[in-house]
Structure formats: structure tokens, C-alpha cells
């Protein structure tokens, strides 16, 4: 395994306390789309019904030993199959996976179809309005392609907050709660990242927001 591949895999593992912080209550039937090595599902506890979807061979192999059900394959196909089977979940997690998909809108429609009546979906998305986008385009004159982070070269789609809300609305979902991760650098260990939260107010906020996180519910039609 190359150092770059190893670094990328590390970037998509972990228990994601930021995601867990948005979860309401203690859901039992949980689906994690793009579950990586299963760390997040393990962190949520093993007393419920945990299902993960993961495409990568190495990560799927690790997750298979840690969670109850592992579906290896494409997220759109897997969620479509689950919808057709009548599967229902109290919680669906999409933690930094939608930007890697060709058709995230269709996956989110499937998510809406799988949520229990009082179910929730927690989504994390990198924020393309992060200040480095403007630096790379405006000063350096090229689109950044990085091993990880906002400009991960494997991203197929790019989202601002408004883009995300449009996608959720089209899928029949609405934002129930929201949080942000602040940074000044792609490097999570970089000194000075904590200043992002300090200065993240008013018109500056979108440009030091590294990730937008959302708790979603099925949208109730107006009477």
C-alpha cells in the first residue's frame, strides 16, 4: 500500500464524534452508507441492527468483521435494492460519501424511502466554499486536486450549503438540525485550525467552514 493510499484510508475511518453529536436519541436500526471499516457503527453501539454499505474491498473486509450486516457494492444499487425489499431504518448515515457518488440525489431519494416515520438521516459534506477554493482558482489558476479533504481528487460532486439543501428538498427531506466543522487548513493536525471557530462568524463563516453537517427528517407535506 502506498503512503498516499494509506493516508486516504485513514481519512475515511474513525468514530466521527461530530456525526454522533447530531444523532437524536438511541436509534436501533442503523444504516451507514459508505461505512468505511465500520468504526462509526461500532462507536454507536452493538445492541442494535447495524448495516453498512461499502465499495472498497479492503474497508469492506474490515467492516464485515465488526458489524452485523455488510453490503459490498455501489451505493445507488445497494440503496435501491434495500428500498425494493421494504427495509426500514431509524437512522441513516451519509458521512462524507455523497460527494463521491455519480447520483447522490437518487441515493438521497432512496434514503427518504427507507426512513421510519420518526427516522433521521445525518449527513456530512465537505464545503466547497472553503477559502482554499478561491485561493487555488483565483491565485493559482487551477482546480485543486488533493489526496484528501475538500478537494479530494476522488470527489465527483461539489456542495455548498445551498446545494445540499436543494438536494435534500428534492429528495423529500428537510433539515431538522445543523452544525459545522471549522478549520483553516486541510491538515487536521495543523496548528491554528482552532482559530477557524474563533473567526467563523458573520460573512466569514462560509469560508472557514470545512464541513457542513445536517440532521434530516422526512418532509411533511403542507396541509
Amino acid at each position: 500500500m502506498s503512503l498516499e493510499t494509506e493516508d486516504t484510508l485513514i481519512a475515511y475511518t474513525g468514530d466521527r464524534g461530530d456525526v454522533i453529536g447530531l444523532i437524536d436519541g438511541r436509534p436501533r436500526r442503523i444504516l451507514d452508507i459508505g461505512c468505511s471499516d465500520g468504526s462509526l457503527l461500532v462507536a454507536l453501539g452493538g445492541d442494535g441492527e447495524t448495516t453498512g454499505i461499502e465499495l472498497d474491498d479492503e474497508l469492506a473486509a474490515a467492516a464485515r468483521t465488526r458489524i452485523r450486516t455488510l453490503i459490498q457494492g455501489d451505493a445507488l444499487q445497494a440503496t435501491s435494492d434495500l428500498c425494493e425489499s421494504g427495509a426500514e431504518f431509524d437512522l441513516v448515515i451519509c458521512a462524507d460519501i455523497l460527494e463521491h457518488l455519480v447520483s447522490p440525489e437518487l441515493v438521497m431519494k432512496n434514503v427518504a424511502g427507507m426512513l421510519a416515520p420518526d427516522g433521521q438521516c445525518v449527513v456530512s459534506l465537505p464545503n466547497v466554499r472553503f477559502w482554499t477554493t478561491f485561493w487555488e482558482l483565483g491565485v493559482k489558476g487551477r482546480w485543486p486536486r488533493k489526496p484528501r479533504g475538500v478537494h479530494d481528487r476522488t470527489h465527483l460532486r461539489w456542495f455548498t450549503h445551498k446545494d445540499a439543501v436543494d438536494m435534500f428538498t428534492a429528495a423529500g427531506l428537510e433539515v431538522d438540525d445543523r452544525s459545522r466543522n471549522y478549520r483553516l487548513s486541510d491538515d487536521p493536525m495543523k496548528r491554528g485550525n482552532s482559530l477557524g471557530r474563533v473567526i467563523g462568524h458573520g460573512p466569514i463563516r462560509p469560508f472557514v467552514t470545512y464541513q457542513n453537517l445536517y440532521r434530516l427528517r422526512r418532509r411533511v407535506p403542507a396541509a
Side-chain angles (χ1 to χ4, degrees), residues 35-210:
C35 70
S36 182
D37 65 352
S39 297
L40 178 50
L41 286 172
V42 171
L44 289 171
D47 57 340
E49 301 171 19
T50 54
T51 301
I53 298 172
E54 178 56 54
L55 181 62
D56 180 85
D57 290 338
E58 185 174 351
L59 293 173
R64 192 173 282 112
T65 67
R66 309 176 75 183
I67 64 177
R68 182 166 297 186
T69 303
L70 189 283
I71 302 170
Q72 185 172 3
D74 173 75
L76 178 56
Q77 185 62 58
T79 55
S80 296
D81 291 344
L82 285 169
C83 273
E84 290 178 9
S85 73
E88 190 173 77
F89 297 95
D90 305 312
L91 169 65
V92 178
I93 299 170
C94 300
D96 297 290
I97 180 62
L98 297 174
E99 66 274 13
H100 294 272
L101 305 181
V102 175
S103 301
E105 298 91 348
L106 297 180
V107 170
M108 291 309 295
K109 287 182 179 179
N110 288 339
V111 167
M114 291 186 289
L115 283 182
D118 59 348
Q120 59 190 297
C121 174
V122 175
V123 174
S124 172
L125 285 168
N127 173 38
V128 77
R129 288 187 79 187
F130 192 60
W131 72 271
T132 56
T133 300
F134 303 95
W135 175 262
E136 295 282 350
L137 286 174
V139 177
K140 295 186 177 181
R142 64 178 60 192
W143 184 259
R145 294 174 178 85
K146 307 292 185 180
R148 61 187 293 174
V150 172
H151 303 108
D152 186 326
R153 63 170 58 93
T154 66
H155 289 178
L156 301 179
R157 300 291 297 272
W158 310 91
F159 295 92
T160 65
H161 168 63
K162 290 183 178 180
D163 293 326
V165 171
D166 286 347
M167 175 174 62
F168 303 149
T169 301
L173 298 163
E174 61 185 4
V175 177
D176 181 53
D177 199 2
R178 179 188 177 193
S179 65
R180 302 169 178 84
N181 288 333
Y182 297 98
R183 282 196 205 170
L184 294 182
S185 168
D186 271 325
D187 183 352
M189 306 305 294
K190 191 80 169 180
R191 293 183 62 184
N193 268 336
S194 60
L195 289 175
R197 179 172 294 277
V198 174
I199 67 174
H201 303 282
I204 299 296
R205 174 177 283 179
F207 307 111
V208 293
T209 296
Y210 195 74

